[in-house]
Amino acid sequence: MDIVEKVKSEYKKHYESDAEKLFFSPGRVNLIGEHTDYNGGHVFPCAISLGTYAAAAPRTDSKISCYSLNMAEKGIITADINSITNKKEQDWANYLLGVIKIFQEHGFVFGHGFNVVIYGNLPGGAGLSSSASLEVLTAMILKEFYGLAIDRLEMAKLCQKAENQFVGMNCGILDQFAVAMGKKDYAMFLDCNTLKYRYVKLELADCCIVITNTNSKHSLVDSAYNERRSQCEQALADIKQLKKVDSLGELNEAEFNQVKQAIKDPTCVKRARHAVLENQRTIKAVAALENSDIALFGKLMNESHVSLRDDYEVTGRELDTLAELAWQQNGVIGSRMTGGGFGGCTVSIVKNDCVESFKHNISEKYTQIIGHKPDFYVADIDDGTKIIK
Ligand code: GLA
C-alpha cells in the first residue's frame, strides 16, 4: 500500500469516516549557508520529497484530535482548540498545537476543531526539518479548513514563531521558509535580513545530491543551538561599540577584520567569523552555480564544513567522519554537514556514476570507525507544502 493510501485507511480506522483532504509537506536540505539565518545572512536550501503526510477532516465540536503513525505508542492526542497550552504529555503534537495557538494570537478565529492522522517518512532528529515540515503542514490545514487569507511566506513566519515561542527552540526562518516555499528542481536563495529570495535552478550536470545520515542523535542540541545564537548576539553587541551595524550578515570579510578586536570573548570572535564568512561563501556559491561552476560550489561547501567544525564547533565526530570520508571518494564535488549540526546529516554533491561506490565505501568505513551504519538518500528536489487531494 502506498503512503497516501495508508494514511487514508488509518484515518478511517481511527475516526470511522473518510478524511476530507490529504496533505503533504516536505523536509528540506540546506546546500550552504548554515547558522546564517538568525545572523541576518543568506541561506540556500531546497525542499525534498521526503516529508510528512496528513489525512484530515473538520469536526463540528471544538476538539483537535491527532494521531501519528510514527508515534503510535502515544495514541490519539486531543486538545480543545479554545484553550491550547504547551503540555509535556501532548508530546509531538505540541508542534501542531503551537501553530494553531500562534495563528489565534494573530487574529485568526477557529470556530471548530479537526481530526488529523499524520505519517512522516523523514528520519526524525536527522536535521532535515521534520518539525518545520509538521508545522507548515498544520498551517496548510488551517488555511484550507478555515479559508484563511494568508500567503506562504506569512505561514512560514508564523510557524517559526510557534517554534520559538510555543516549543521554545530559538530557530531562524530557514526551515519553515524552505518547507513552505519549495519548488521542484529549484533551490531558494534567501536573504534572511530582508526575506527577499529568488529561485535558482539546480543544474548539477552529471551529479546528484546525496544526503547521508549519521544516525546519531545528541542530547542538548537545542541548548547548544541557543548558546551559539547568544554568542553571535554578544559579538554583534560588541561590534556595535565601533560600527553601526544591525546584523553580522551586513559585514564582509574586510569589514569584519576591521571591527573584530571589539569582540571581547575569543569564542564569540570565532562564532562571528563563521557567521560572516559563511554568509559570504553562500553568496559566492550561488554565483558559482549560476555560472555552471559546480567545482567552485563544491569547494565552498567543503570550506563551510571546516568553518562549522573549527569556528562554530557544531559538527562532532560522526559528522566530521562522514565529511572527511566523502572528501576522499571519487566523484565527490563537495560535502558538508547540513542543518543545525551535532548529529543529523551531511549533504554531498556526487557524480551519478559514483553514487554506488560512495555509499559502499562510506558505509563500510563509517561503520568501522563509529560502530553503526549510516543511511543514504538520493534527494529529489520537490515542491513546498501542498494539498494532494
Ligand atoms: C536549524 C534551525 C535553522 C538554522 C539551522 C542552521 O535547522 O532550525 O533555523 O539556524 O539550524 O543553519
Side-chain angles (χ1 to χ4, degrees):
M1 199 190 303
D2 81 354
I3 297 180
V4 175
E5 288 308 315
K6 187 168 156 184
V7 178
K8 264 169 79 176
S9 77
E10 283 285 327
Y11 184 97
K12 196 159 190 173
K13 190 169 112 198
H14 289 285
Y15 297 109
E16 292 167 356
S17 60
D18 287 323
E20 197 165 286
K21 285 266 156 61
L22 296 159
F23 301 83
F24 172 72
S25 190
R28 67 97 187 88
V29 62
N30 192 22
L31 299 177
I32 191 161
E34 219 65 83
H35 291 278
T36 47
D37 58 351
Y38 54 83
N39 284 310
H42 292 76
V43 293
F44 193 50
C46 36
I48 58 177
S49 60
L50 297 175
T52 318
Y53 293 79
R59 298 174 61 103
T60 46
D61 62 9
S62 62
K63 206 159 146 187
I64 302 286
S65 173
C66 35
Y67 177 80
S68 163
L69 288 165
N70 304 86
M71 298 280 181
E73 69 281 6
K74 304 277 175 198
I76 290 186
I77 298 173
T78 57
D80 189 294
I81 201 160
N82 298 315
S83 54
I84 292 173
T85 52
N86 186 326
K87 293 190 192 129
K88 199 163 187 289
E89 65 270 22
Q90 286 166 181
D91 201 77
W92 67 271
N94 276 318
Y95 289 92
L96 182 148
L97 296 169
V99 172
I100 302 175
K101 180 79 178 170
I102 294 293
F103 269 60
Q104 287 169 326
E105 285 176 10
H106 278 258
F108 293 114
V109 178
F110 306 126
H112 58 83
F114 60 86
N115 300 325
V116 59
V117 170
I118 307 274
Y119 174 73
N121 59 358
L122 274 169
L128 300 176
S129 293
S130 52
S131 319
S133 179
L134 175 57
E135 287 157 5
V136 183
L137 180 80
T138 306
M140 189 57 90
I141 294 174
L142 296 178
K143 179 176 163 73
E144 179 62 17
F145 284 173
Y146 305 93
L148 309 185
I150 182 169
D151 65 22
R152 284 172 179 268
L153 186 57
E154 196 56 32
M155 283 160 68
K157 287 197 221 166
L158 292 184
C159 288
Q160 180 201 4
K161 203 163 190 184
E163 184 141 352
N164 293 165
Q165 296 183 359
F166 194 87
V167 180
M169 160 68 174
N170 218 359
C171 64
I173 189 76
L174 164 65
D175 304 344
Q176 292 79 10
F177 182 93
V179 168
M181 305 291 289
K183 183 166 160 178
K184 191 168 171 46
D185 300 330
Y186 286 80
M188 292 154 270
F189 182 42
L190 169 69
D191 178 342
C192 301
N193 212 7
T194 58
L195 293 186
K196 284 204 178 122
Y197 63 93
R198 76 189 147 80
Y199 289 100
V200 178
K201 184 114 200 232
L202 266 184
E203 286 177 321
L204 299 175
D206 54 351
C207 299
C208 61
I209 295 171
V210 183
I211 297 169
T212 311
N213 190 348
T214 58
N215 285 331
S216 287
K217 288 190 187 119
H218 288 251
S219 54
L220 300 178
V221 172
D222 288 8
S223 61
Y225 182 94
N226 290 345
E227 181 192 53
R228 295 299 180 286
R229 197 169 170 156
S230 59
Q231 288 165 332
C232 288
E233 282 160 9
Q234 184 55 54
L236 180 66
D238 290 346
I239 291 172
K240 280 183 175 169
Q241 304 294 320
L242 273 191
K243 186 178 169 79
K244 195 189 162 311
V245 53
D246 290 326
S247 72
L248 294 173
E250 286 172 23
L251 301 172
N252 62 30
E253 186 169 2
E255 288 162 341
F256 177 68
N257 286 333
Q258 276 164 12
V259 295
K260 69 175 182 213
Q261 78 273 15
I263 308 171
K264 295 187 197 83
D265 180 326
T267 304
C268 294
V269 177
K270 293 200 321 181
R271 306 296 190 245
R273 184 166 60 209
H274 167 78
V276 170
L277 298 188
E278 178 75 353
N279 182 41
Q280 297 300 312
R281 265 192 294 275
T282 306
I283 297 168
K284 283 182 208 152
V286 173
L289 195 64
E290 289 181 320
N291 289 326
S292 305
D293 190 348
I294 303 183
L296 177 56
F297 188 87
K299 184 170 169 277
L300 292 161
M301 287 176 79
N302 298 346
E303 288 174 15
S304 164
H305 185 90
V306 170
S307 175
L308 288 155
R309 183 188 69 194
D310 299 344
D311 273 350
Y312 223 64
E313 297 177 278
V314 291
T315 55
R317 189 160 167 258
E318 295 91 347
L319 284 169
D320 289 337
T321 302
L322 277 186
E324 280 155 27
L325 289 172
W327 297 336
Q328 293 160 13
Q329 304 306 312
N330 287 334
V332 172
I333 311 298
S335 184
R336 57 180 289 277
M337 60 149 270
T338 185
F342 301 103
C345 293
T346 59
V347 57
S348 310
I349 299 188
V350 184
K351 289 221 155 109
N352 291 325
D353 56 9
C354 296
V355 170
E356 283 316 308
S357 63
F358 175 93
K359 288 189 197 167
H360 176 265
N361 296 345
I362 292 183
S363 188
E364 195 174 89
K365 297 214 170 97
Y366 180 84
T367 310
Q368 268 168 20
I369 299 168
I370 301 293
H372 63 253
K373 281 186 164 173
D375 278 322
F376 299 89
Y377 322 94
V378 175
D380 269 332
I381 309 309
D382 211 346
D383 287 327
T385 305
K386 61 187 173 197
I387 299 168
I388 313 174
K389 52 187 158 177

